[in-house]
Amino acid sequence: QAPLVESGGGLVQPGGSLRLSCAVSGSIFSGNTLAWYRQAPGPRRDLVATITMTGVTYYADSIKGRFAISRDNAKNTVYLQMSSLKPDDTATYYCNLYPSRMAYWGQGTQVTVSS
């Protein structure tokens, strides 16, 4: 099984909400800062949000106030609650450690915001 598996993406209208989930293998989850990244068409993959083991969070300015990252330490899962979605949020969303590890990039989950 892949070490990190993203799910929860889909098609949503502007202003809508989605919750992404990332199931993380236990050996990776414990003690590490986890993060969500996104990649719109093109080579750049941007950091969206991070969360430490103790729940300290960081958000990119572009999504601050609209997205919330959380983690369930009992389920080895990290979440990204996305609200007030905009067409510019359209991207493939990935979870990984922060800093990211090349070996842990998964397939991601596609989020499309369109009317």
Side-chain angles (χ1 to χ4, degrees):
Q1 179 165 345
L4 299 101
V5 179
E6 305 93 344
S7 63
L11 173 64
V12 62
Q13 292 187 342
S17 299
L18 279 176
R19 189 176 82 153
L20 307 183
S21 300
C22 178
V24 185
S25 69
S27 61
I28 298 172
F29 191 88
S30 295
N32 283 308
T33 296
L34 297 171
W36 285 96
Y37 301 79
R38 68 184 182 185
Q39 185 171 10
R44 197 177 76 193
R45 189 169 294 180
D46 296 325
L47 178 66
V48 174
T50 68
I51 185 166
T52 68
M53 189 67 184
T54 57
V56 177
T57 58
Y58 160 84
Y59 297 97
D61 287 343
S62 60
I63 58 89
K64 200 173 292 183
R66 299 187 296 120
F67 292 9
I69 189 171
S70 61
R71 62 193 289 165
D72 186 331
N73 293 338
K75 296 182 178 179
N76 291 350
T77 301
V78 61
Y79 303 98
L80 186 68
Q81 178 67 49
M82 306 186 295
S83 303
S84 301
L85 282 161
K86 306 175 182 180
D88 284 350
D89 296 318
T90 295
T92 302
Y93 285 72
Y94 302 87
C95 61
N96 203 315
L97 302 185
Y98 180 79
S100 64
R101 303 272 183 90
M102 183 65 69
Y104 293 159
W105 290 116
Q107 296 298 311
T109 187
Q110 177 67 37
V111 172
T112 302
V113 185
S114 175
S115 56

